[in-house]
Amino acid sequence: MTLLAMTPVQDMHKPYPRRWSALVVLCLSLLIVVMANTSLLVAAPSMTLDLSLTSSDLQWVIDGYTVPYASLMLLCGVIGDRYSRRGALILGLIIFVAGSVAGALTDATLGVILARIVMGVAAAIVMPATLSLLVATFPKRERATAVTVWAATSGLAIAAGPLLAGWLLESFTWHSTFLINVPIALAAIVGAVVLVPPSRAVAPGAIDWIGGLLSVLAVSTIVYAIIEGMHFGWTVGPLYFALVGLLSVLGFVGWELRHPNPLLDVRMFSSRILSGATLAVLVFFLVTFGAIYFVAQYLQFALGYGPVSTGVHLLPLAGAVFVGSGITMWLTPKLGPRITVTAGMIVGTLSVVSLIGIDSAATYFDFLPVLTLLGLAIGLSVSPCTDAIMGEFPDSKLGVGGGLNDTALELGGSLGIAVLGSVLAASYRQGIESFLQTFPGKQPNGQYTGQAAEGLAASQDSLAGAVIVSDIIRDQNSFLGGFADNLEANAVAAFGDAVVHTSVVAAVVFGVGTVIVALLIPSKTVASTSSEKIAFEPIVPFVAPQAKDAAADREVAELEQLLERPSAAKPDTAGPKHTLRTVAEPALVDVELERPSIYQLASKVYELDASVTAAATVAGKSGDRVTIHQLALSNLARTRRVEAEEALDAALELSDLPVAPAPKPAEPTAPLQTFYQRASTQHANCTAFKERSSSMWAMPL
């Protein structure tokens, strides 16, 4: 094994041995992408004060990352499939480091916005690459576990971002929050080169650039229109972008239906599992990100927690994500994705409903059940949905599947902050408006002074603004200390009422989405064999032949004989520890080494499986029948391949045991014949017959 991972996944004849170490690298890459968004929750107030950001400026700091992140993921996933998934991951991480360093070094509002845009582009490259590399590297029987770990990492990042950012803000300025990502990204770059194997699609075809541009235009304009319209009103600008987005969606759908190699085949959404899982991810993160957005504000400004304390108090969310992920990893193969996904969405709805009882006297313990249930819901729902989406795409389109999943995730999160955030802001302004009529600083003509007008606007804009203004009033004018206390108390009360109103809207959205998803996702999409659970594997359509094929029965019997495995020798339990009872003679060992290994045999089985599947696909398109013979060979080949992998693992474990000397065995009464000699003889006899019905298995061992 070389130091660097240089063998492409598509050229490997067995599972990649360092795949779990590669998963750590992929999770680290995902971690920084999510933390770049969540760390802004605690860094925004410090950044606003230092740079004197207006509401529009702060919104652009957030959207500068969100808009390119959401709009470019689908196209970047396809480009990674076409050229190199690992190359896309490394390139995205390098760009991410550059954007983070630029954001840490700038002191201008425009510089921060541009740095966030660069980081958003990098995140769009990294995110789908992590998921497509995961699916390409792991065999099917381990894929659900790996996806669960991947999804749980996002829950960890939700709490880790504010915690690390708050820790840095205790001693440094907001610039340091950009540097959180740098050491993690550098470690991920080194790990990607050493541990992550290269991967790309086999014969992917030309990239649909027009479809890609239409998808970028559609997502970016729709996201921007909703964010701007919900925050600053539906003026001409947001309405114009919404119209452009709608026309782009229609153009994208029309183009993809006519293109021979579409970027995203929209016909795939006729699959209930794909459309249901995609909708579940979008609705789930719409509500989840919106809820975390105003819960974090309440902890900081209503309860007065510092940045570090806010991150610590969000940790139960991350812990509950891991618990929910463990539960769904055990339940989904038994009950199917509909049960676990629907259960997760119901738990999420209950967590949002519990926010309806929040008032101005609420403490952290009132939010603890909300955070716990929300984290449990994320763990239950996200990984089955992701596994379902990726299972619907072939190996040549894994980047498309990853891009679709991540686009739904980020689009949902963006809409959650925009829609629920605007409902929260409107309700807050309505609740505090009457108290702000008494705001001091009016001139004889009835107009406010410049400083008073700024304070009034900030207090009316958000709870954070009202708390900051009340602190400034206390510092600058002790005579207005009573008004400052009343301002803060009224702002907290108005924000509590706004949380209640917003939670009602979120609960309705979550509840309706839960019902639709429960109707869409099939109850059982997991096929099982005697050796493994194969999730979401498409069934090859066929028409049963009218007459029984004797040649097919004979070929299946020959295949069973060729793949028959001898019983493994048991270790000598009476002798010393870790010793085997006998030692093979050198001549017999030489004969065994000259024969093909069990995994070479399994490789032939894999080739047969691929050939049968390809033939079935062609036959399905051309109208020809797929025979029972082909289906039997395909099923048997898949089962035998898994058994061969298990035999190889057992053989590798036995090969590590030391061999103790043993007495010379007695001469056998009959010449020994190895398993491979019997298989070779049988194969030679079979190939002599002219009546073999299929040429697909006529391959020398």
Side-chain angles (χ1 to χ4, degrees):
M1 183 181 298
T2 59
L3 178 62
L4 303 182
M6 300 302 294
T7 304
V9 173
Q10 60 269 18
D11 294 341
M12 296 180 183
H13 298 293
K14 60 180 181 179
Y16 178 55
R18 295 189 288 182
R19 55 191 178 276
W20 294 106
S21 300
L23 179 62
V24 174
V25 177
L26 300 179
C27 289
L28 284 177
S29 305
L30 171 68
L31 189 70
I32 62 172
V33 168
V34 180
M35 284 200 312
N37 249 348
T38 58
S39 61
L40 200 64
L41 293 174
V42 297
S46 176
M47 188 182 299
T48 301
L49 288 176
D50 190 29
L51 297 178
S52 300
L53 299 179
T54 64
S55 296
S56 179
D57 293 336
L58 182 60
Q59 194 62 43
W60 267 109
V61 170
I62 298 172
D63 299 345
Y65 185 86
T66 300
V67 173
Y69 182 20
S71 59
L72 289 172
M73 276 192 286
L74 191 60
L75 179 59
C76 289
V78 175
I79 294 174
D81 278 344
R82 178 65 176 83
Y83 296 104
S84 173
R85 293 164 181 149
R86 186 179 72 166
L89 175 66
I90 295 173
L91 176 63
L93 290 172
I94 292 173
I95 298 174
F96 204 93
V97 169
S100 300
V101 173
L105 296 178
T106 186
D107 283 314
T109 301
L110 180 60
V112 173
I113 294 173
L114 291 177
R116 293 277 296 174
I117 291 174
V118 172
M119 294 170 65
V121 173
I125 301 173
V126 170
M127 191 80 164
T130 61
L131 198 50
S132 59
L133 281 168
L134 183 154
V135 175
T137 305
F138 280 83
K140 279 188 176 180
R141 66 178 183 273
E142 298 174 349
R143 193 172 297 164
T145 303
V147 170
T148 300
V149 175
W150 181 91
T153 303
S154 62
L156 175 64
I158 292 174
L163 180 60
L164 293 177
W167 175 67
L168 289 173
L169 287 172
E170 292 287 333
S171 304
F172 306 100
T173 65
W174 58 266
H175 301 82
S176 60
T177 60
F178 281 89
L179 297 177
I180 298 175
N181 313 304
V182 174
I184 302 176
L186 292 177
I189 291 171
V190 175
V193 175
V194 176
L195 297 172
V196 179
S199 174
R200 55 176 292 186
V202 178
I207 296 177
D208 176 17
W209 290 107
I210 295 179
L213 292 176
L214 286 173
S215 70
V216 172
L217 185 62
V219 177
S220 60
T221 51
I222 289 176
V223 170
Y224 177 78
I226 291 177
I227 291 174
E228 289 294 307
M230 297 301 292
H231 278 88
F232 304 108
W234 290 97
T235 57
V236 176
L239 289 174
Y240 171 78
F241 280 101
L243 178 61
V244 173
L246 179 61
L247 294 176
S248 300
V249 170
L250 296 177
F252 175 77
V253 173
W255 176 264
E256 297 302 284
L257 288 174
R258 300 174 61 88
H259 198 277
N261 185 32
L263 184 85
L264 173 63
D265 190 353
V266 294
R267 299 179 187 87
M268 295 183 67
F269 286 101
S270 61
S271 167
R272 291 170 56 195
I273 184 65
L274 179 63
S275 55
T278 304
L279 178 63
V281 171
L282 191 147
V283 172
F284 203 93
F285 280 92
L286 187 153
V287 178
T288 300
F289 269 58
I292 294 174
Y293 174 70
F294 53 74
V295 168
Q297 288 190 65
Y298 197 97
L299 295 180
Q300 277 187 280
F301 301 109
L303 300 182
Y305 292 154
V308 175
S309 182
T310 300
V312 171
H313 285 85
L314 288 174
L315 284 178
L317 175 71
V321 170
F322 279 94
V323 173
S325 299
I327 293 174
T328 193
M329 187 169 57
W330 175 67
L331 280 182
T332 303
K334 299 177 182 297
L335 303 179
R338 174 195 280 179
I339 301 298
T340 52
V341 172
T342 305
M345 297 187 74
I346 291 174
V347 172
T349 304
L350 292 176
S351 70
V352 177
V353 169
S354 63
L355 284 171
I356 296 176
I358 298 297
D359 56 23
S360 58
T363 65
Y364 171 71
F365 294 101
D366 295 310
F367 287 94
L368 185 58
V370 177
L371 295 173
T372 304
L373 290 176
L374 201 56
L376 189 64
I378 294 173
L380 283 172
S381 297
V382 174
S383 56
C385 289
T386 300
D387 198 17
I389 292 172
M390 297 304 294
E392 289 294 297
F393 288 87
D395 290 346
S396 60
K397 296 286 187 179
L398 291 180
V400 181
L404 176 63
N405 178 85
D406 300 335
T407 299
L409 187 154
E410 183 59 26
L411 183 61
S414 303
L415 296 181
I417 295 176
V419 176
L420 297 183
S422 65
V423 174
L424 182 75
S427 180
Y428 168 79
R429 282 193 294 268
Q430 184 178 2
I432 202 173
E433 186 176 5
S434 59
F435 174 79
L436 291 180
Q437 299 295 329
T438 64
F439 199 87
K442 284 187 178 180
Q443 302 180 57
N445 59 3
Q447 300 295 323
Y448 284 100
T449 63
Q451 188 176 13
E454 292 178 3
L456 177 63
S459 301
Q460 190 177 18
D461 186 60
S462 64
L463 172 63
V467 172
I468 292 172
V469 169
S470 64
D471 290 338
I472 293 175
I473 291 175
R474 291 190 191 96
D475 292 338
Q476 294 183 356
N477 193 333
S478 58
F479 293 102
L480 294 177
F483 175 81
D485 295 338
N486 289 333
L487 172 61
E488 186 170 343
N490 279 271
V492 170
F495 190 82
D497 293 339
V499 168
V500 172
H501 297 156
T502 309
S503 299
V504 172
V505 176
V508 171
V509 173
F510 222 160
V512 173
T514 301
V515 173
I516 296 175
V517 169
L519 294 175
L520 282 176
I521 296 182
S523 59
K524 203 74 172 176
T525 57
V526 180
S528 61
T529 67
S530 60
S531 303
E532 67 173 342
K533 295 284 185 180
I534 304 177
F536 316 118
E537 185 169 359
I539 300 174
V540 180
F542 70 96
V543 179
Q546 297 179 355
K548 185 177 180 180
D549 192 348
D553 294 339
R554 183 170 61 255
E555 190 160 349
V556 170
E558 294 167 359
L559 179 62
E560 290 177 337
Q561 292 177 1
L562 284 173
L563 296 179
E564 181 184 2
R565 293 184 302 159
S567 300
K570 297 182 179 179
D572 187 1
T573 56
K577 189 178 181 181
H578 298 313
T579 60
L580 296 179
R581 181 171 307 198
T582 60
V583 179
E585 292 183 352
L588 183 58
V589 173
D590 293 340
V591 172
E592 292 289 350
L593 292 177
E594 292 175 359
R595 295 295 177 180
S597 68
I598 190 68
Y599 220 96
Q600 289 173 316
L601 190 62
S603 176
K604 295 295 184 183
V605 177
Y606 181 83
E607 293 173 8
L608 171 67
D609 193 16
S611 301
V612 170
T613 304
T617 303
V618 173
K621 291 181 179 179
S622 62
D624 296 337
R625 297 185 307 177
V626 179
T627 65
I628 282 289
H629 163 217
Q630 291 173 311
L631 286 175
L633 287 179
S634 177
N635 251 352
L636 185 59
R638 184 182 300 109
T639 303
R640 295 303 191 193
R641 184 181 78 241
V642 175
E643 293 176 352
E645 293 174 1
E646 295 172 352
L648 178 66
D649 292 338
L652 291 175
E653 292 178 2
L654 289 175
S655 66
D656 293 334
L657 300 176
V659 179
K664 183 177 180 181
E667 291 293 331
T669 57
L672 292 175
Q673 190 177 34
T674 68
F675 156 68
Y676 293 111
Q677 288 173 329
R678 294 200 309 273
S680 179
T681 302
Q682 181 68 28
H683 180 71
N685 292 337
C686 291
T687 54
F689 292 100
K690 302 296 185 182
E691 64 273 13
R692 290 182 63 87
S693 60
S694 173
S695 62
M696 287 184 296
W697 188 248
M699 295 182 293
L701 290 176

